[in-house]
Structure formats: structure tokens, C-alpha cells
Amino acid sequence: MADEPYLAASSTLRHGPALVVLTGPPGCGRSTLLQRIAAAVPGPVHAGGGLAMLAGVPALALSRAVRARLPGDDVHLLAEAVRSRVRGGLLVLDDVQHCDPVTVAAVAHLARTCRVLIAVRTPHRIPDDLHQALRAAATAWLPVPALTGDEALTLARRTAARLEESALSAVVARAGGNPLAIIGLARQAAAGKAPAGPDIDQMAYAIATALADLPRPARTALAALGLLGRPAPAALLGPGAADLQAAGLVDTEPGGALYPVSAYVAETAAGLLDTAARAEMHQRLAELTPPAEAARHLAAAGDDAAAYRQALIAADQATGGERAALLLFACGLSTPVDLRVRLAAADALLVAGRAADAAAVLAAAGARPTGAAAPLALEVAVLHGEALLQAGDPQAAVRAVDGVPDTAAVAVVAARDRVLLLAALDTAPMSALDLADKVAARHPDPLPGVAAAVAAVRAEHRVPGWDTDLTAAADPAGDPLISRWSAWLLVEHLAADGRLTESAAAARTAADAAGQALAYGWQTRFLAAADWALALHGPAADPDTLVRQAANLTDLTLPDQARAYATAATALIEADTGLLAAARARLKNAPRHPAADWVAREAAWLDGQPERGESVDGGDGLLAGLHAITGRWAAHDLGVRENAPIPTGLPGPARRTLTAWAVGNGFGAAADSWEPVALREQIRCLIAAGLTDPDRDRAVAALLRAEELADAAGLTVLAGRARRGLRTHRVHRDVRGRRSQGGLTQREQDVLRLVAAGEPTRRIAGQLGISTETVDTHIRASMRKLGARTRTEAAALAFATLETSDNSEDGR
């Protein structure tokens, strides 16, 4: 077998987190290569894989790999649960083409933090969006190549040693380099069977001929394994199981279940059955398997009515994503489907985050909310509208509820009005405000969904009292989906208005509620948003605690929004305290988001690269203002005139700052307005005042105040900017004393280098082979010697000191 994929995969997986994907057709040797690579990579191996008949079970392949039941409703929680078990080991998944969508999505996330090795048979039916995400996440995508001529001859000789060279050459020529075809054809040639014609599928011919030599019970047992698509006990396979073991066609799992050595051979055996025999076998297997599997066997046998009944039985026994998948399966069968089942399926799918599938299930109902339609049809209409709304199609959502009368049940009218209101907010925000007043008048005691929609519209337009209304809608005691959505709107709107401490408090409350409900994706989004708001507000307490919290979050498997906020929070503190290289490295892998984009531009400006800080579209509210302010600073440093219009909808401090830039004065008042909002922006306004005020005394006073605030907060780069401004007024500051208090030991320097690289305490301890307590001791000693307020400031000061020392030595 060619060793290029083996060497490439083994090398890649030895160097840290990576995703290696092996692909190829049936019989090409993917599984064998998977095992070789796993054996060559150091560390524990966690092996699992997809199963054909159980492809709809969420997280099945990963549960088999880590030997634990895993959550299948939250992709990020699933990925984190696997990561916490795999850690430094190797995750190996075979037959990913049979995995459920949640598993495939989780694998793409795991590639960031784990070593992952998977095999995918081609062709496959993985949805295109998941396939593209997998390709994007893969470190190496390796097709398993056909065997070379010499390798093919070696395998043929090993399989049929008595064959003459001419016969072996004929086998190799017909097999096309496929190992399974070589083995099958060589065995047939050794048995004296005539070769097939050149236009015949040689591998299928070889397998079919080999299977024809098996006793009938063995063929039946192998076909059963092919139809089951998973391992099975010998008792279920019948008397042919022993013959399969004797022939080496099956192997035994640790629990005693038998599985085919080649899944393709088993599937081929099932394919050789005629239609009637296959249907009969599916019927027999349905009697021997649990309801979820039985439903699929019955559907394969053509008995959709029985499959529907079994799927509903299985759904009653399941929860979460598995229940949603079973109800979706039931709704897709060619048999009459009760509207109540469609409603239950759509509801379960919405809870599982599958809005498009929920909309499709209800679209197929055919019930219209007009005329003499039954009440259930009206429920279908409004839930269909909600599903379309969540799927991102507000116009279709409005059409779905068109015709639901005001005389319908209160809950139905409320659901209709919620859809209409949120669709208007998306498509015509100004008209949504008038509609919100009408909806509020129609529902004096609104249901939670309507109250949340009205609050969302009023929040968007900042109607007085919007925050109180949105806080009430975010009550954790209410419907979880509505309360979390409302809480997120509250957190983001408060932050956009510059109410950062309130935003952080609301985010912490929502994170606690989401954590208690094991809603990991929401919990991490709220935690990261809280860290971001506090990092931007300023270091009222020890910023190292905030850096540690946010950096620890980025070690986990997170939704992109959470990762962006956590990365932005950590990088902003690092950049402000002088760890610009660490901030840049961290931001390289940040998802696109206005917060992370602004910190990247701000870090470039702090690093003396104003050309990389030009203005771009920076979102809404406070972030839009910060993007514009950084653009004005970049233009100032480059000596160019900035005529960009001031964005609308900015909080007062950002608007005052940009106005000051436009007219050339007013920075002192702008600085005062930033004081309760963001300390670093207050300092920047003071620096701007010192650079633009024609009165020298006022300019120097502003710069001295900026220096004082920056030094007290450990914002070393802005303190340096203030001192540079003072030098333009011939005011020179001697700050060498603070940086030269005592020499650092080599170990203290080693620790601070890792602090500067953004490593948390536990990783520093692991890399240096010392305890976490010893790391903290070295950091405290360094802070004391350097006069630093925080560990990040100590790292920045240490390397400024070392660079100064090195430059002095070079000068000598």
C-alpha cells in the first residue's frame, strides 16, 4: 500500500490539534489505513464510527468512541463533551458517511482543539454545507490511492501464492489497484473460476462469486448484517453466523456482537437479494430490533403504515434531537400523517434548532387557515410562520399566517401577531413600531411570545422603558427559547448604548440560567459577552482575572459569536498592556465579528501601524463608534484628512468624540463623558486634547492626566502615547525607576515569556514542569520587582527592560 497518506497523516497528527480525513471508494483500504495511522500516533485512541441503519441517531459515532452517552441537541456542547474526554488522545471515526449531521458538525469544531482522524467512503450523502465545513476544517484531506503495480502483485501473491505470474498479472490488471478487488479476484482465480469480462465491475463480480460459494445460512446472515448496518449478536443472525466466523468474514466486538470485516461486502450481500427476499428480511429484522430501527426496516420493506406506527412509539421513548429526528422520519413516510404529529414534529425540530426542517414538515401538511379549516390547521399555520421566521424568511412567514382570523383562539392570534411583528421588525423597522402599539393594545395581558416581540421592537427603537420590558421578557422562569433570545437582545442593546456594566450583569444572570439548563451554547455566548463588556469598560478590578476567564473560554469549543467576544476581550487587554504580539496571534484565528475586527484594527494602531486602522463597517452603536474613532486616529497619525460622516445611532460619548475630531476641539468634554463608560477611551480623548489644544497649559494638563490614568490602570501603550505627547511640549518623564527595581531570575523570565504568549497558569506549569502554585509565586515576585499592577503588565515591562538592556549591550 502506498505510504504517502500514512506518512502525511501520521506526521500531521503528531504535531497537535488537527483533522485528517481519508477518503476513497469501497474496498480501497481506508479502514486498514485508519488502523495503521492510529497505531503509529502516540497517546490513547478513542475509536468509533457511523452505522448505516442508525445514521439518524444524534452523536452515536462519538458516543461509541468515548464510551459515554453524549448530548445530541447542542453541537458545541457535544464537541466540548468529546474534547474533555479525548484531550491529548486521538479521536478516530470510521464510516463518517453514515454519521448524523450533528456528529459531522461537531467534528469540524473538534479540529480546533483535538487530534481527529476520520474516514469517509465515496461517494457519500453528507449534505453539501456540512461537507464544505468539514473540508474547511481539515488539516489534511487525503484520498487513499490505488496500489502501485508492485504492491498489487505482492498482495495478490500473498492471497493466492500458488497462482502463476501470468494469472497474477491478469488479476492485478482487472482489479485496478483496489485491494478488496485484488483479494477477491485472486481467490477466485486460485479456485479455478473463470475471470469476468473486462467491462464487468471486477470488485462486485469477485465479491458476488465469493458469496455464491458460502452456504445459504451464511449468505443470509451476511445479508442481514448489511441490512442492519451495525454489529449484531450471533443469535439475531441465525445459524449462518458460525460459518461467517469460520470464513473470516466477520469479527467479534468486545461485547460479543459480530461485525463484518468489510461493510461493503455485507452491503453487497444484501444487494444480491431479490426485492421480495430483501423485503422479507427487513420484515424479520423489524421484529427483532427496537422501535427506532424497526421503523426504518419496515419502511425499507415498503410497509410505511407500520413504519409510521413504530416511529411514533420510538419518538415517545426518545427526547431532544433523537425525538425530533424520529418524528421527522414519520412525517416523511408515504402514509397519512396526523396534523398533531406534524405539530409535534415541528415543535421538536424548532427546539433542536432545525427551523428549515420544521417549516418543511408543516408546508407538507396542506392545511390552510381559511374557510372551514379545523382549529388544528390554524395552529399549523402559525407554527409554520414561526418556523419560517426562525429559518430567516420573514416574507414567507407573513404569507404563512395570512388568513388567520382575529376570531381564532387567543394563543393562535398571539402567535400570529408575534410572527407579523418580528417579520415587520426585520423588513420594515419603522412600521414595526406602529404595529407593536396595535399588538400591545390587542393583548393587554400578553402571552410571553408576544410580550417578547413587542419588547424587541421597542428596544430596537429605544422607546423609554425598553430595557425594563426586555428584562421582563428575559425572565429565566419563562419559556427557555424566548427568555434566552430576549436576554441576548438585552445584553447586546445595553452594550451598544455604552451601558457596559449593566450589559455584563445581564449577561452573567442569563449565563447562570442557561448553565443550570445545560444550554451550553447560550451559556458560553453570555459569558463571553460579559467578559467583552467588562474588558472594554476598563480594569476596575484585577484585569488578569478577566484575561484568565476569557482566555479559558477560548480553550473550549464555542459558537463563533462566543469565540469572537472572548477573543476580543482577551486581545484588547493584552494589546493595551503591551502584549501586542500575543494579541495579534490570538486575533488571527478569531471569527469575523465587529468586536474582534475592531480590536484587530485597534491593536494595529497601538502598534504604530495606523495604515492598518482605516475605517470599515463596524456594526451598530458603540462598536460602530469605536471603529470610526480608531479610523480618525489612524488618519491623524498618517497625516491625512478624514471626512467620513459620523455614523448614526451612537451613544453620547462616541458621538461627542467624533464631533470633536470633526471640529478640532471639545475633547475634554468628550473625555468626561467616557469616564463611566470606557476608561481607555477617556484616556484617548485626553491624549487627543493634548495633541490638538492650542493652549499649551491645557494640553499638558490633559496629557498628564492621561498618563496618570493609564499608569494606574496598567495601560502601558496608552501611557507611552501620553508621554510621547508630553515630549512634543518639551515635558520629559523619567519612568526608568519603575522598570529597574531588582533583576529577574531566569525562571521568572521564562514564566513571563509564556505569560506574554497568552498562556494560562496551568499551561505554563505543564510546559515548565512546575506546579501552578510555583508559577503564581514567580509571577508575584516579578510583579513586585517591576512595580507592575498585573501579570500582563509585568510581562510587558519585563520585555521592555530586556530589550533596553540588549540594545545597550549591542551599543557597547
Side-chain angles (χ1 to χ4, degrees), residues 753-779:
R753 278 196 182 89
L754 292 171
V755 170
E759 299 286 9
T761 297
R762 68 180 187 281
R763 286 191 183 174
I764 295 172
Q767 291 184 47
L768 297 181
I770 57 180
S771 68
T772 55
E773 292 78 8
T774 302
V775 171
D776 288 336
T777 299
H778 287 312
I779 291 173

Side-chain angles (χ1 to χ4, degrees), residues 85-463:
R85 289 168 170 82
V86 173
R87 295 186 180 275
L90 176 66
L91 176 65
V92 179
L93 298 180
D94 200 358
D95 288 323
V96 171
Q97 74 279 357
H98 293 319
C99 289
D100 63 289
V102 174
T103 294
V104 180
V107 165
H109 289 290
L110 285 166
R112 296 180 182 141
T113 54
C114 294
R115 297 182 301 165
V116 186
L117 174 64
I118 69 173
V120 182
R121 183 199 296 176
T122 55
H124 57 72
R125 294 183 180 178
I126 297 174
D128 187 61
D129 57 337
L130 291 176
H131 178 236
Q132 293 305 320
L134 206 58
R135 291 207 73 131
T139 312
W141 190 278
L142 305 173
V144 178
L147 299 185
T148 65
D150 290 343
E151 290 167 337
L153 272 173
T154 300
L155 178 58
R157 286 194 192 101
R158 192 164 61 242
T159 304
R162 296 180 181 179
L163 282 181
E164 295 180 359
E165 286 299 309
S166 59
L168 290 172
S169 297
V171 165
V172 169
R174 290 178 181 278
N178 185 290
L180 184 59
I182 291 169
I183 292 170
L185 289 171
R187 285 177 176 170
Q188 295 309 306
K193 301 292 177 68
D199 57 340
I200 299 296
D201 183 336
Q202 299 296 326
M203 183 164 56
Y205 168 78
I207 293 171
T209 307
L211 294 177
D213 291 338
L214 290 174
R216 182 179 179 82
R219 293 200 303 272
T220 302
L222 192 58
L225 278 174
L227 294 179
L228 278 168
R230 65 168 175 85
L236 188 149
L237 300 176
D243 291 328
L244 291 180
Q245 287 178 297
L249 291 172
V250 296
D251 208 338
T252 307
E253 285 193 330
L258 301 180
Y259 66 93
V261 171
S262 169
Y264 181 69
V265 171
E267 292 167 17
T268 301
L272 293 174
L273 297 172
D274 60 38
T275 302
R278 191 180 304 112
E280 182 182 351
M281 183 169 288
H282 274 300
Q283 289 279 5
R284 175 172 168 268
L285 291 173
E287 298 170 2
L288 302 171
T289 52
E293 282 185 79
R296 289 176 169 81
H297 284 299
L298 289 167
D303 191 349
D304 281 4
Y308 177 76
R309 292 191 296 271
Q310 286 294 319
L312 297 186
I313 293 171
D316 286 342
Q317 300 169 358
T319 59
E322 187 174 354
R323 179 172 183 270
L326 284 163
L327 290 171
L328 178 62
F329 171 77
C331 292
L333 294 169
S334 297
T335 190
V337 179
D338 193 303
L339 280 183
R340 289 168 294 187
V341 172
R342 291 192 181 277
L343 284 168
D347 190 59
L349 288 162
L350 284 174
V351 171
R354 300 172 63 177
D357 286 331
V361 162
L362 295 174
R368 303 299 305 159
T370 55
L376 274 180
L378 298 177
E379 291 185 37
V380 168
V382 294
L383 191 58
H384 189 202
E386 180 72 25
L388 289 166
L389 194 66
Q390 292 191 29
D393 193 347
Q395 291 91 349
V398 171
R399 291 194 298 271
V401 300
D402 183 36
V404 174
D406 291 343
T407 55
V410 172
V412 171
V413 174
R416 178 203 65 185
D417 288 348
R418 169 182 163 82
V419 170
L420 293 173
L421 191 51
L422 291 178
L425 181 60
D426 187 82
T427 57
M430 295 310 299
S431 68
L433 194 56
D434 292 335
L435 182 58
D437 291 337
K438 295 176 183 176
V439 169
R442 186 182 295 132
H443 302 277
D445 187 17
L447 293 172
V450 173
V454 171
V457 173
R458 290 178 172 170
E460 182 67 25
H461 292 277
R462 300 303 194 273
V463 175

Side-chain angles (χ1 to χ4, degrees), residues 170 585 709:
L709 290 173

